[in-house]
Amino acid sequence: MISAKIDKVGNILVGTFHRLALFAIGAATVWAAGYEFFEMFQKHHATVSDLLLMFIYLEIGAMVGIYFKTNHMPVRFLLYIAITALTRHMVDIMSHLPINLNEMLAVAASTITVTLCVLIIRYTSARFPSDKKDDVA
């Protein structure tokens, strides 16, 4: 009986922490995206790197929104963020001369690896769908 009450209080505290942390992450994302947008506006132009950074903010916001709605962390979105960040880094590598070929190849290989991970996750989730339902509020 006491154990059940402790479990209930623990679940409430963990759920509250998740929601507060997600709200903080969402607010920080909006703040950072707004700041970057303001910086682009002041420069009177946006670079490819700037646009990719805005996509990262968008993906983080979508991930937070999905977690709020479904109470499930969409792992694929983390991988999409990684792919976008690697692409942004590749743009940065290509913009500096001389081009560091080893770094460029390492980033390209990392991007392909993460992309294959997305493919594997999508395939396995379609082929072996989870029928478990989370009862944690």
Side-chain angles (χ1 to χ4, degrees), residues 15 20 28 44-45 53 60 62 65-66 68-69 73 86 88 93 104-105 116 119 126 133-135:
L20 288 174
H44 301 290
H45 72 280
L53 183 59
I60 292 171
I66 288 171
F68 263 123
K69 290 180 181 179
M73 180 61 70
L86 287 166
R88 186 169 185 261
I93 292 169
M104 188 177 74
L105 291 173
L116 290 173
L119 180 67
K133 297 294 178 199
D134 231 353
D135 292 332

Side-chain angles (χ1 to χ4, degrees), residues 17-35:
F17 171 76
H18 276 146
R19 284 172 182 76
L20 288 174
L22 281 171
F23 182 76
I25 291 168
T29 302
V30 169
W31 184 6
Y35 177 80

Side-chain angles (χ1 to χ4, degrees), residues 7 14 21 36 43 69-71 75 79 84 87 113 123 126 129-130:
D7 286 346
V14 168
E36 289 298 326
K43 291 188 303 187
K69 290 180 181 179
T70 66
N71 206 27
V75 175
L79 297 175
T84 307
T87 304
T113 302
Y123 174 77
S130 173

Side-chain angles (χ1 to χ4, degrees), residues 55-77:
F55 270 108
I56 290 172
Y57 291 139
L58 178 67
E59 290 164 356
I60 292 171
M63 186 175 63
V64 168
I66 288 171
Y67 191 85
F68 263 123
K69 290 180 181 179
T70 66
N71 206 27
H72 288 41
M73 180 61 70
V75 175
R76 283 186 292 135
F77 276 73

Side-chain angles (χ1 to χ4, degrees), residues 90-106:
M90 180 70 79
V91 168
D92 187 49
I93 292 169
M94 298 297 289
S95 67
H96 293 92
L97 295 175
I99 295 172
N100 183 339
L101 186 61
N102 289 333
E103 185 180 11
M104 188 177 74
L105 291 173

